Amino acid sequence: MGLLTQSNEQYYGSQQVFVATAAQTQFTWTGGADRSNSAYGVNLIPFIDGVSMSNFEVYINNVKIDQGPGAGKYQVSSTNAITLGTGSTLNDVVKILLKDIKAGKWNNHDTYQYVSIRNIINNFKMAYVGDGKLISRVNRADIIFHAKRSLQEFSYDTLKSTRSQELTVPSSLSLLIPQDYVNYVSFFRIDNAGVQHPIYPSNSLHQSPQQVPVQDGSGIPTQDDAADNLEGTSITNERWGDTADYKISGAYTDQMFNDGIYDWGWEKVSLGQRYGLEPQTSQSNGWFNFNEREGKVMFSSNLANQLIIFNYISDGLSADEDMKVPKMAEEAMYMYMLHAILSSKIGIPEYIINRYKLQKRAALRNAKIRLSNIKLQEIVQVMRGKSKWIKS
Amino acid sequence: MAINVNTVYTTVLSILNKEQRGYITPFEFDQLATQVQLELFEKFFEDYNQYLRMPRTNVEFASRIEHIRNEFQVFQTNNNASAHTANTYTQPVDLHRFGSVNYNKGFNSPEIEIVSARDYTEQTLSPLTTPTSDFPIAKYKQDKITVFPSVTNTYTNNDVTFNYIRKPANPVWGYSVGSLGQYIYVPGTSQNFEISDTQQTEVILEILKYSGIIIRDPSIIQMASQELQQEEVNTKR
């Protein structure tokens, strides 16, 4: 039996059309199964008592009707089912159409490449646990634990789990760390052409303090009524925010040009006038650093009101719909779980554990190669640069 | 297929009456039949456990595991909770052996894992193993299960479905009294043995064994016991 449970209409059109019988009131969207069955565990048309769902629309004979109680309207009566307030006429065409938003059409697509953690757990239990199998008995909680741990580990270095946000840096020069943030990958400033320019960590230049105790005249931290140290605002951060970026990067400003600070003729640039610049800081894209104390990312002053892209990694467990694994890494996850469970059980021969240790490594290596997405055609395109002459 | 209660009763009487050894009344027979059926019924599960730990064959008609499963499949049934208070559900009244329980509020009605109070605490303390509606857990005590997570305020008996073994109905040899004071079999008021007819020999021998005690005839007890022992040895070999 094939794994696809949606019709072409449900997937490509994100809609389901019903030809009503006389006085029919209930219509059930059957296309929720792709996501709920094999992918994520989220129904496309969920039923939440007392809440209007806004991710889909209902049409009768191509006329949109409103959601709500009463005649001429419809309500979500249970998961994936709508009930009309007025019974249909025979051969009325009732259409449920997902809207062009994340909770609608977007969620309906891009699902087949993933398998949900729930299915991973169920598949694992079916295939590897039971009477006469490698693991005769194991608590389901143990399987769930190792499945989620493996998803976390895989998220850090194997899966394509990088997330990104497009943000505008406010004049306060700080942004909240994303809710599911685990580590950053990169920051880019986006210019007017939409091209990205890397922003670098401020590292040796500046860092946000983790504590800013308020000191008395003798330098001793002072306490509040609850006997905890009083926290002040960071002067380091203030100074960093006030600093003009060019003073560090050595960037050439319009004012410098007008004032004729440097003789900036092209023939002199290569003569060493800027000799001695620190390459690490000689960039004008800007800097960022993490303010652990406030849970924020801080940016240098030249990035105020600039558009940035923030790439980061999560652990894949932040929300139910995130708990998914690319099918390319499914086998690696089973092997990880198998090895983890076998090696934590008493009485399993060491050669069995070693066998699955090797299997785990091999499967993980395979998964990494598969997910690294190396395509010969793309490599060839890059290698075409070899034919370019480099002048010396 | 069930064992006809009249066949068993008449066979037992035929053996007992040979050489005028004795007689058991329908009332005594009903009691013995109930006792014997329960004994054999309980033995199914012990045998099943033993067979699971023995070498097996998949050849049809030769698999002891399949055979024993067939013996108790007629008693296997599903039912929703018989009552509930919030997320605590009372098991069905005819539940004899608990099998599993499913959570109908989760997608595709996942199985609820029964855990001890200690395991429950440990699992809920770990964020990774906290129960979800896809992987629910329950504490089972005093014929009730308390299901976690408790995700909604609306609860019904249909939230959970028990898969269990019910107790077999007590066999009854129904009768009316004839003009000569004789007992006449009445199928309409009778209840056949519910265990399968492959157990008919054992049923008759077991009833004979107990009948020997009633009529105080050691030779009957000895004969029936030897036969049963021989059969037991053969099936467990």
Side-chain angles (χ1 to χ4, degrees), chain B residues 33-50:
Chain B
T34 301
Q35 167 73 10
V36 165
Q37 180 170 249
L38 277 179
E39 265 183 30
L40 291 172
F41 175 70
E42 291 299 337
K43 199 161 147 289
F44 289 155
F45 305 102
E46 291 308 314
D47 286 350
Y48 186 42
N49 181 287
Q50 278 191 17

Side-chain angles (χ1 to χ4, degrees), chain B residues 157-171:
Chain B
N157 291 350
N158 302 336
D159 294 346
V160 294
T161 302
F162 290 80
N163 169 35
Y164 61 95
I165 300 286
R166 67 171 174 78
K167 203 173 161 183
N170 294 341

Side-chain angles (χ1 to χ4, degrees), chain B residues 92-154:
Chain B
V93 288
D94 60 342
L95 186 145
H96 181 64
R97 275 181 181 258
F98 180 91
S100 60
V101 58
N102 291 71
Y103 190 51
N104 298 328
K105 284 185 169 178
F107 184 75
N108 276 352
S109 300
E111 185 181 337
I112 300 172
E113 190 165 67
I114 304 295
V115 297
S116 66
R118 184 175 164 185
D119 284 345
Y120 166 76
T121 309
E122 287 174 356
Q123 281 192 36
T124 47
L125 282 176
S126 165
L128 294 183
T129 56
T130 301
T132 62
S133 55
D134 282 334
F135 299 107
I137 62 173
K139 290 192 275 190
Y140 186 28
K141 60 181 180 183
Q142 295 176 347
D143 296 339
K144 295 184 177 79
I145 60 165
T146 306
V147 181
F148 304 95
S150 176
V151 288
T152 163
N153 292 325
T154 52

Side-chain angles (χ1 to χ4, degrees), chain B residues 204-233:
Chain B
I204 292 170
L205 287 170
E206 286 282 359
I207 291 176
L208 276 175
K209 193 175 78 179
Y210 286 114
S211 304
I213 295 169
I214 290 173
I215 63 174
R216 293 180 184 170
D217 187 341
S219 62
I220 294 281
I221 301 171
Q222 196 181 0
M223 180 274 294
S225 298
Q226 276 176 358
E227 284 287 329
L228 285 166
Q229 197 177 1
Q230 181 61 41
E231 189 155 325
E232 178 78 5
V233 167

Side-chain angles (χ1 to χ4, degrees), chain B residues 152-207:
Chain B
T152 163
N153 292 325
T154 52
Y155 303 95
T156 67
N157 291 350
N158 302 336
D159 294 346
V160 294
T161 302
F162 290 80
N163 169 35
Y164 61 95
I165 300 286
R166 67 171 174 78
K167 203 173 161 183
N170 294 341
V172 176
W173 190 81
Y175 63 92
S176 60
V177 180
S179 56
L180 301 173
Q182 80 279 27
Y183 297 125
I184 301 167
Y185 175 61
V186 180
T189 58
S190 297
Q191 168 67 52
N192 286 332
F193 289 84
E194 285 197 289
I195 55 177
S196 113
D197 54 7
T198 58
Q199 300 288 324
Q200 186 165 325
T201 316
E202 282 90 339
V203 167
I204 292 170
L205 287 170
E206 286 282 359
I207 291 176

Side-chain angles (χ1 to χ4, degrees), chain A residues 183-340:
Chain A
N183 200 355
Y184 77 91
V185 175
S186 56
F187 286 87
F188 292 100
R189 175 178 66 81
I190 307 300
D191 67 17
N192 291 335
V195 175
Q196 55 187 25
H197 304 264
I199 308 171
Y200 296 97
S202 58
N203 286 346
S204 58
L205 290 172
H206 166 78
Q207 58 181 303
S208 298
Q210 291 201 342
Q211 290 181 26
V212 186
V214 177
Q215 297 164 286
D216 63 12
S218 310
I220 308 295
T222 55
Q223 288 78 37
D224 59 14
D225 294 343
D228 294 325
N229 277 350
L230 286 166
E231 280 277 323
T233 52
S234 167
I235 298 166
T236 311
N237 283 349
E238 275 176 26
R239 290 182 182 174
W240 175 252
D242 292 341
T243 299
D245 189 65
Y246 72 89
K247 290 178 181 171
I248 299 168
S249 66
Y252 193 63
T253 64
D254 289 346
Q255 191 183 356
M256 289 176 185
F257 180 80
N258 293 333
D259 293 349
I261 289 179
Y262 300 113
D263 186 0
W264 204 240
W266 69 267
E267 73 283 4
K268 299 191 177 161
V269 171
S270 58
L271 296 182
Q273 289 193 12
R274 310 300 307 277
Y275 183 79
L277 271 181
E278 173 62 56
Q280 185 187 351
T281 59
S282 302
Q283 52 91 17
S284 57
N285 295 331
W287 288 279
F288 70 90
N289 76 89
F290 282 87
N291 185 340
E292 303 278 353
R293 187 169 71 110
E294 297 176 29
K296 290 176 178 171
V297 196
M298 314 290 283
F299 296 91
S300 54
S301 58
N302 63 321
L303 288 169
N305 304 315
Q306 293 282 325
L307 193 66
I308 62 158
I309 292 275
F310 177 13
N311 295 316
Y312 66 98
I313 51 173
S314 184
D315 67 355
L317 297 180
S318 56
D320 281 350
E321 63 185 40
D322 290 339
M323 292 192 210
K324 59 188 181 180
V325 183
K327 287 180 176 172
M328 300 274 193
E330 192 178 346
E331 183 66 12
M333 187 157 276
Y334 292 140
M335 290 302 121
Y336 179 101
M337 292 161 66
L338 202 50
H339 173 255

